[in-house]
Amino acid sequence: MTTQASKAAGWRKMAMQAVFGAIAGAGGMIAVLALVEGQGGLDWAPSAIILLGVGFIYALMGLFVGLGTVAPKLVGQRLLNVADAEEIVEERSSMGASAICCLILGAALMLLAHAVAADAAALVTPAAAYWILLVVLGGFTAVSLWMWKSFDELWRQLTVEITAITGNLLMFVAIVWGGAAAAGLAAGPQPLDLVSLAFGSMLLACFVAASRRGMMAPR
């Protein structure tokens, strides 16, 4: 009975998390799309909008994890898929670093999308946004290397699996899409499509690898 009650509570918690995430994500995207539509004269091509959406997902993930890390009892144990607040406290350094990286990375991706769409009207030029993204990626890599030292065997294997899945996804899409474009069967990818594909593949790989390890089950 205790086990069944725990499982039921876990599924209820996951359902609440899903609903909250869906509401927050939908509300955020509606606000972003309203901003996009409201800026007349900007060339918001599909490629820029897709990259904007990918960046928004990263930023939203970073925000959720960040709030949960700052307030583990009030927010974290309810919002995140963890057993209790103590688990967050134990992993606070790595979870906090991940949240900050996701927030900054998401902001950099959205900045690049906006800079390309707005061009001369943007806060920064597309070239400046590109260099900002490269600096962010450099910092992201440095933090990942620093976090690697504190990873246990499970997290190291998970990281390797995520990298492998991301690489396989990119290779598959590159072969299929590039070959179809060369054969005249499809339009070739735009530059921003490649950026969205890379970060979107990594995001998908994280969920696939975590699911295979049973880490997406309700807790």
Side-chain angles (χ1 to χ4, degrees), residues 41-138:
L42 302 189
D43 185 19
W44 280 104
S47 296
I49 294 177
I50 292 173
L51 182 58
L52 193 73
V54 172
F56 177 77
I57 293 174
Y58 273 95
L60 191 63
M61 288 173 53
L63 179 61
F64 281 176
V65 176
L67 289 175
T69 304
V70 172
K73 291 185 178 181
L74 182 63
V75 180
Q77 63 183 1
R78 295 180 175 87
L79 191 62
L80 306 178
N81 190 31
V82 295
D84 49 38
E86 284 69 23
E87 182 178 346
I88 299 176
V89 174
E90 292 175 359
E91 301 291 337
R92 175 169 281 172
S93 59
S94 58
M95 290 180 66
S98 298
I100 293 173
C101 285
C102 282
L103 275 171
I104 296 176
L105 180 60
L109 293 175
M110 289 190 288
L111 179 64
L112 178 60
H114 181 268
V116 172
D119 199 10
L123 296 175
V124 298
T125 64
Y130 164 74
W131 287 111
I132 290 173
L133 178 59
L134 284 188
V135 171
V136 169
L137 288 178

Side-chain angles (χ1 to χ4, degrees), residues 127-178:
Y130 164 74
W131 287 111
I132 290 173
L133 178 59
L134 284 188
V135 171
V136 169
L137 288 178
F140 191 88
T141 302
V143 171
S144 298
L145 293 174
W146 169 73
M147 292 175 62
W148 179 267
K149 299 178 182 178
S150 62
F151 282 173
D152 57 20
E153 187 63 26
L154 172 61
W155 280 102
R156 292 192 177 192
Q157 286 296 323
L158 187 65
T159 302
V160 172
E161 290 178 11
I162 291 172
T163 303
I165 294 172
T166 301
N168 286 329
L169 284 173
L170 287 173
M171 184 174 68
F172 175 77
V173 175
I175 292 173
V176 173
W177 196 356

Side-chain angles (χ1 to χ4, degrees), residues 11-25 79:
W11 283 111
R12 285 196 298 270
K13 177 183 175 182
M14 177 165 280
M16 291 178 62
Q17 291 170 341
V19 171
F20 181 81
I23 292 174
L79 191 62

Side-chain angles (χ1 to χ4, degrees), residues 170-198:
L170 287 173
M171 184 174 68
F172 175 77
V173 175
I175 292 173
V176 173
W177 196 356
L185 301 176
Q190 298 297 315
L192 289 186
D193 293 332
L194 302 178
V195 181
S196 299
L197 176 62

